[in-house]
Amino acid sequence: MKEREGKIRLVKVKLKGLKKYFGKVKAVDDISLEINPGEFVVLLGPSGCGKTTLLRCVSGLEVVTTGKVFFDEDDVTYLSPKDRNISMVFQNYAIWPHMTVNNNIGFPLRIKRYSQKEIEKRVNWAAELLGIDNLLDRYPVQLSGGQRQRVAVARAIVMEPKVLLMDEPLSNLDALLRVRMRAEIRKLQENLKVTTIYVTHDQVEAMTMGNRIAVLNQGILQQFGSSEEIYHNPVNTFVAGFIGSPQMNFIEVEIVSQGKELFLKTKGLEVSLLDKYKDKVSKLSGKRKYILGVRPEHIYVSGRAQTDKVAATKGKVYFAELLRSDTVLHLEKEFGFLVVKAPGDLKIKEGKEIEILVDLLRIHLFDKDTGKAIF
Amino acid sequence: MKRQKTPMVLKIKQVITIIIVGLIVIWFLTPLVLITISAFASPSDYYQIDKVIPTHFTLSQFKSLFFELEAWKAILTSIKVAVVTMLLSFVIGLPAGYALSRYIFPGKNFLKLLILATRMFPLMILAIPLLIIFMRMGVSDSIWGTSLAHTAMVLPMIILISSSILSGVSVDYEEAAMIFGLSRIQAFFKITLPLALPGLAASAIFAFIISWNEVFVATILTLTNRTLPAHILKTAMASPDYFKFTGGFIMAIPAMVFIFFVRRHLVTMWGISLK
């Protein structure tokens, strides 16, 4: 891959108390974020969570209700999009149908009145980078979806923008192509080192691509952190449930103390707490309700556990999803279904009762009313 | 389960469809054919009662209509009026159509209805007051006066049609242009307008034809600067029948040419995309 020319400008993006209301709908509600220079940040959330609106506020296509947007120390909150020195990749490409690929990619340069020679050089550079240099004379209708997406990305990087914005750029591609483009875009960003904000509702995209992930729900920032933090230490039930597939098991439990030991207990399951969790739990009021969260991949089928710090229980297999790479078991329990992700080579018949082991190190506890994580 | 249709039934259905379509086509085309034939028929053939289809044709009534009755002047006036109407209705109608297609604002639907409602009043009622206002303004019996009146008639259609055409151009194209260095107005002219051009051109010709064909207002508002329909109404109606057909034929030509050229775009004009 060719190195990009000229000096690299890395820009820090800072959002301060950003709000965007559409009438009474709070699309973005008081979001503050600091994105480091050259960082790849993913805005992740279900549809309608405000992630695209937030991106459009950064781009200037949407005027914020209150709050500020900074690029480095420059306040760009009310700057029009054309003056922000940004670029964007749209969900449905938005490459102009009445222009050739060449003109599409070169458009930002021509607007900024670059010399013909410079335009040609940069267009070729971007086209080569995306592997579309043989398509320069074609019109968008003559291109496949994947090729159009590449044109859109080439157009976005040709200007060497301060900030690169991507609005679900891969959601219109088929599954195979999506995986490939995922890797390509990530590599491209690593090479260009341009500060990037990437919107997606796909957690796999978010986990694999972002340096950090901002999880949004109903216009509110839930958690901002690395994929590791978000997976292992979700701050509330929303993040815990949204990240991970199959979804985390949520079980309503009571806190019971017996001598020095503390237990999380419900009918059909009793989980003893390790010492490191005891402090946090002993302070809690016994009157409130709590939710135990445990991911399906952290429940093992008996004999397959890699740790001895486990809580054992039994359950009848109601349904087994044989994915061959894994087997997802749905067990009937007193409190509902318990989902377990077991190895794919496991041969388990539906209707059979099996023993399972809950990993004590990987459990989470949430306050039922607020949804907030206790640990 | 529904009974399957046999090939025989399908065949009969097809034949019936063809017959119905044929009847409709004949219904619409017969007058056109009659007008055309009669327009070129020599007067003696035209008045021969036992000759249904004339055999002798002539251009003499065209000549006298054009030069002795000075239809060429009227044609020129008509073209001027139609062009001014077209331009005026676009200068006003295009921004309005853009606003309707791109923005959501309170009272939008009501406004749309209101635009259509301007066509609710019969011209007969409006014509006399309009004439008086125009006389006071000093634009009666002029190209401008007629154009203004025609613009008022065409405008609702241009607004609604252009809004539907502009809606067919994805906002993303415009927003992408704004991201990559254009203002909203520049983006409109460089991106949206070229993409909407075929449809807009069709609606422009549509405006032209409406103005070209309009006879009532043109007759009332003018005395000397008459447009073609008004002129024909005045002169040809007092002439022999075959002159009327000649006039009718001249009137019909632009509309027919228009339909041939914009057939394809007419569909998109009403907001249905062929894609």
Side-chain angles (χ1 to χ4, degrees):
Chain A
M1 203 177 275
K2 263 196 196 172
E3 275 306 306
R4 126 169 146 154
E5 319 200 0
K7 61 183 191 302
I8 297 161
R9 292 164 304 181
L10 298 178
V11 177
K12 185 168 92 178
V13 177
K14 202 161 93 183
L15 311 180
K16 222 167 144 186
L18 213 64
K19 289 184 189 175
K20 176 69 188 177
Y21 297 170
F22 294 106
K24 282 183 181 163
V25 182
K26 298 176 177 179
V28 172
D29 198 4
D30 200 11
I31 288 185
S32 297
L33 272 182
E34 257 188 60
I35 298 165
N36 296 326
E39 196 176 18
F40 194 116
V41 164
V42 177
L43 305 180
L44 176 68
S47 44
C49 73
K51 54 193 191 298
T52 295
T53 308
L54 183 61
L55 191 79
R56 288 169 62 86
C57 286
V58 177
S59 75
L61 288 173
E62 216 70 75
V63 179
V64 301
T65 308
T66 59
K68 296 257 177 232
V69 181
F70 293 95
F71 289 174
D72 281 337
E73 301 312 316
D74 305 330
D75 183 351
V76 298
T77 315
Y78 298 107
L79 221 54
S80 66
K82 71 184 171 72
D83 299 321
R84 293 193 184 201
N85 219 333
I86 50 167
S87 62
M88 188 157 165
V89 180
F90 290 79
Q91 183 174 2
N92 29 14
Y93 324 129
I95 52 174
W96 303 296
H98 60 309
M99 295 183 196
T100 59
V101 170
N102 194 348
N103 286 341
N104 260 289
I105 300 175
F107 186 85
L109 303 168
R110 271 182 285 129
I111 296 304
K112 298 262 155 74
R113 301 191 188 286
Y114 278 59
S115 72
Q116 198 55 48
K117 221 177 105 191
E118 182 72 12
I119 292 175
E120 208 172 295
K121 201 172 95 184
R122 283 180 179 238
V123 169
N124 285 334
W125 165 78
E128 237 171 80
L129 212 55
L130 272 300
I132 46 171
D133 41 334
N134 54 334
L135 304 173
L136 284 176
D137 295 326
R138 300 228 191 139
Y139 280 91
V141 280
Q142 297 166 296
L143 304 178
S144 69
Q147 289 168 333
R148 285 180 206 185
Q149 191 55 269
R150 282 163 194 274
V151 174
V153 174
R155 181 180 64 180
I157 61 169
V158 76
M159 270 299 300
E160 304 191 356
K162 278 184 179 169
V163 182
L164 178 58
L165 307 173
M166 298 196 172
D167 186 7
E168 309 209 19
L170 306 184
S171 58
N172 283 354
L173 302 179
D174 63 63
L176 258 175
L177 203 55
R178 204 179 307 161
V179 174
R180 217 172 91 196
M181 281 302 281
R182 204 155 74 197
E184 274 189 43
I185 288 180
R186 191 69 189 94
K187 283 284 162 211
L188 192 71
Q189 196 272 342
E190 268 170 26
N191 277 299
L192 298 176
K193 295 193 179 67
V194 56
T195 310
T196 303
I197 306 176
Y198 186 105
V199 163
T200 183
H201 62 262
D202 181 341
Q203 49 159 314
V204 182
E205 252 172 52
M207 298 301 261
T208 52
M209 294 176 85
N211 293 121
R212 280 193 292 170
I213 300 166
V215 185
L216 274 72
N217 189 32
Q218 295 181 335
I220 295 168
L221 179 65
Q222 307 287 322
Q223 190 169 3
F224 185 38
S226 67
S227 58
E228 201 184 351
E229 279 165 26
I230 283 179
Y231 180 78
H232 288 299
N233 301 310
V235 295
N236 56 31
T237 45
F238 175 79
V239 177
F242 193 72
I243 302 287
S245 171
Q247 204 190 21
M248 182 185 273
N249 294 293
F250 292 114
I251 305 149
E252 205 179 315
V253 289
E254 282 172 22
I255 298 173
V256 180
S257 62
Q258 278 176 6
K260 274 190 175 180
E261 295 301 307
L262 278 170
F263 293 94
L264 301 175
K265 211 170 163 183
T266 181
K267 217 176 171 195
L269 185 68
E270 194 177 287
V271 177
S272 66
L273 287 174
L274 296 175
D275 287 341
K276 67 170 182 171
Y277 297 136
K278 276 183 187 161
D279 275 356
K280 287 176 186 160
V281 173
S282 57
K283 288 180 209 150
L284 297 173
S285 139
K287 281 176 194 159
R288 297 186 75 119
K289 289 182 172 165
Y290 298 95
I291 289 177
L292 167 70
V294 56
R295 296 193 184 280
E297 54 268 42
H298 299 146
I299 306 175
Y300 314 114
V301 176
S302 158
R304 300 283 182 127
Q306 309 202 337
T307 165
D308 54 353
K309 289 182 174 138
V310 290
T313 182
K314 281 183 178 174
K316 200 167 101 182
V317 179
Y318 173 75
F319 177 56
E321 292 176 58
L322 305 172
L323 304 173
R324 298 306 165 195
S325 58
D326 311 290
T327 304
V328 177
L329 305 171
H330 298 249
L331 305 180
E332 266 181 299
K333 293 290 291 177
E334 291 82 345
F335 48 79
F337 284 105
L338 190 67
V339 179
V340 177
K341 197 169 175 180
D345 59 337
L346 215 63
K347 288 195 174 59
I348 289 177
K349 283 218 180 88
E350 282 164 15
K352 203 179 130 189
E353 186 154 279
I354 59 166
E355 189 181 45
I356 47 158
L357 310 163
V358 175
D359 192 332
L360 295 181
L361 265 168
R362 302 290 188 82
I363 57 173
H364 304 267
L365 191 64
F366 304 96
D367 185 308
K368 195 193 173 194
D369 296 329
T370 62
K372 283 198 175 123
I374 294 152
F375 61 79
Chain B
M1 213 173 94
K2 254 185 157 177
R3 235 183 56 209
Q4 284 212 8
K5 294 191 181 89
T6 61
M8 190 62 194
V9 174
L10 285 175
K11 192 90 192 164
I12 291 169
K13 271 193 136 185
Q14 206 176 6
V15 170
I16 290 172
T17 311
I18 290 171
I19 290 172
I20 291 172
V21 170
L23 283 175
I24 294 170
V25 170
I26 289 170
W27 173 267
F28 280 106
L29 284 187
T30 310
L32 268 179
V33 172
L34 282 179
I35 287 172
T36 310
I37 291 173
S38 308
F40 290 96
S42 71
S44 58
D45 269 27
Y46 180 82
Y47 282 118
Q48 211 163 327
I49 214 105
D50 50 350
K51 229 178 197 173
V52 180
I53 295 167
T55 46
H56 296 94
F57 297 98
T58 171
L59 287 172
S60 70
Q61 51 260 47
F62 280 86
K63 271 185 207 151
S64 40
L65 192 67
F66 269 105
F67 301 109
E68 282 153 43
L69 295 176
E70 295 193 313
W72 65 271
K73 260 190 189 167
I75 288 176
L76 213 63
T77 311
S78 260
I79 290 173
K80 281 182 196 162
V81 167
V83 168
V84 173
T85 299
M86 203 168 78
L87 292 178
L88 273 180
S89 58
F90 263 82
V91 167
I92 305 168
L94 200 57
Y98 183 83
L100 284 180
S101 90
R102 287 291 190 260
Y103 297 101
I104 298 164
F105 48 88
K108 181 172 161 177
N109 282 325
F110 180 69
L111 197 68
K112 270 187 171 176
L113 205 68
L114 215 60
I115 290 168
L116 267 186
T118 56
R119 300 283 286 137
M120 216 167 64
F121 303 98
L123 274 173
M124 323 258 171
I125 295 171
L126 295 175
I128 302 300
L130 199 64
L131 177 61
I132 293 168
I133 292 169
F134 276 13
M135 280 165 85
R136 284 187 189 151
M137 285 168 64
V139 290
S140 67
D141 195 18
S142 75
I143 289 166
W144 291 106
T146 319
S147 303
L148 273 178
H150 283 180
T151 303
M153 294 170 62
V154 173
L155 203 51
M157 271 168 268
I158 295 301
I159 292 174
L160 295 179
I161 291 170
S162 61
S163 112
S164 98
I165 290 169
L166 292 172
S167 297
V169 178
S170 165
V171 190
D172 282 358
Y173 294 138
E174 224 168 275
E175 291 188 336
M178 284 162 69
I179 291 278
F180 292 114
L182 295 184
S183 65
R184 189 177 277 278
I185 290 173
Q186 287 172 317
F188 175 78
F189 281 108
K190 284 216 164 154
I191 304 292
T192 314
L193 202 57
L195 288 173
L197 207 57
L200 292 179
S203 56
I205 300 174
F206 188 59
F208 186 97
I209 296 293
I210 289 184
S211 166
W212 176 271
N213 281 343
E214 200 286 323
V215 57
F216 187 75
V217 167
T219 313
I220 289 187
L221 290 182
T222 55
L223 273 176
T224 52
N225 278 317
R226 293 219 143 151
T227 60
L228 186 65
H231 183 76
I232 287 174
L233 191 69
K234 195 185 78 178
T235 57
M237 284 306 134
S239 313
D241 277 353
Y242 49 88
F243 270 99
K244 295 172 189 164
F245 285 115
T246 311
F249 179 73
I250 296 172
M251 289 296 308
I253 288 176
M256 283 197 278
V257 173
F258 158 69
I259 293 295
F260 277 119
F261 277 109
V262 301
R263 254 189 321 191
R264 215 158 48 82
H265 297 302
L266 272 176
V267 183
T268 49
M269 207 157 94
W270 304 109
I272 311 153
S273 174
L274 281 174
K275 273 172 250 164

